[in-house]
């Protein structure tokens, strides 16, 4: 059984992941409205991935005989001044999420809850990837700042990003 402290923190994390999903969906819609279909696609994939993160946590709580309690999703920003600003905010937000995941890992370790520690390893690794990909995108957006043709090319490139279901959810499809 999950400790009450870890159970509550995992429930909070579901909300944080769904808020992340909502944030990226909002960025996707803002990019779409600005005619940046590739950027919109990049953030749309991000929105799908964040929903996976929430589902992994929901499945896990259920598997440990806990109850998932969904809370309201706070509003998100709806407009950004540039693509660069979107990616800068993405990195800033992912750093906050990394802190939350580390906190969950610390509680699991404190509880000597090895199953939860194991489950959280995937999230620890995922956050390294999330931060690295946001940094890459900042670099790409900085490289084309003020260059309309460069942005057109970058947008075309981002249109090719595809969604892959998170590996911990693979058994769901069986
Ligand atoms: Fe669920 Fe982007 O971290």
């Amino acid at each position: 059984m999950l400790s009450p402290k870890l159970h509550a923190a995992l429930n909070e994390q579901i909300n944080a992941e769904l808020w992340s999903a909502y944030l990226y969906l909002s960025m996707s819609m803002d990019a779409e409205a600005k005619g940046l279909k590739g950027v919109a696609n990049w953030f749309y994939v991000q929105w799908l991935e964040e929903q996976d993160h929430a589902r992994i946590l929901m499945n896990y709580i259920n598997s440990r005989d806990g109850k998932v309690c969904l809370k309201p999703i706070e509003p998100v920003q709806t407009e950004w001044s540039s693509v660069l600003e979107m990616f800068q905010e993405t990195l800033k937000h992912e750093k906050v999420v990394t802190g939350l995941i580390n906190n969950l890992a610390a509680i699991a370790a404190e509880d000597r809850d090895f199953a939860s520690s194991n489950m959280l390893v995937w999230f620890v690794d995922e956050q390294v990837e999330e931060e690295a990909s946001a940094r890459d995108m900042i670099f790409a957006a900085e490289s084309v700042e003020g260059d309309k043709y460069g942005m057109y090319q970058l947008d075309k490139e981002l249109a090719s990003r595809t969604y892959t279901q998170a590996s911990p959810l693979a058994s769901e499809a069986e």
Side-chain angles (χ1 to χ4, degrees), residues 30-111:
D30 191 34
E32 189 79 44
K34 289 168 175 149
L36 295 163
K37 289 199 176 298
V39 176
N41 174 64
W42 195 93
F43 281 108
Y44 196 86
V45 170
Q46 203 70 12
W47 126 269
L48 295 174
E49 287 191 355
E50 296 299 347
Q51 290 176 83
D52 278 4
H53 300 173
R55 266 168 61 204
I56 295 165
L57 294 167
M58 289 190 278
N59 289 351
Y60 182 70
I61 292 179
N62 289 332
S63 75
R64 294 293 305 272
D65 205 19
K67 179 175 168 159
V68 172
C69 295
L70 298 176
K71 299 198 173 144
I73 313 288
E74 294 296 322
V76 292
Q77 195 174 322
T78 54
E79 181 132 26
W80 287 266
S81 63
S82 66
V83 171
L84 177 60
E85 194 199 4
M86 284 183 187
F87 288 123
Q88 284 168 335
E89 191 175 329
T90 298
L91 179 59
K92 193 168 140 208
H93 177 61
E94 289 301 334
K95 284 183 175 176
V96 171
V97 175
T98 299
L100 296 174
I101 296 293
N102 287 345
N103 188 45
L104 285 170
I107 300 171
E110 210 175 275
D111 288 352

Side-chain angles (χ1 to χ4, degrees), residues 17 20 24 46 49-50 53 94 97 123 126-127 130:
E17 300 291 347
S20 306
Y24 296 137
Q46 203 70 12
E49 287 191 355
E50 296 299 347
H53 300 173
E94 289 301 334
V97 175
F123 282 91
E126 175 68 11
Q127 282 313 118
E130 290 276 62

Side-chain angles (χ1 to χ4, degrees), residues 107-141:
I107 300 171
E110 210 175 275
D111 288 352
R112 295 174 60 79
D113 183 340
F114 302 113
S116 295
S117 295
N118 260 354
M119 183 274 296
L120 288 165
V121 166
W122 185 87
F123 282 91
V124 170
D125 292 343
E126 175 68 11
Q127 282 313 118
V128 173
E129 265 185 47
E130 290 276 62
E131 287 191 25
S133 98
R135 270 195 304 274
D136 287 349
M137 295 314 306
I138 288 172
F139 181 74

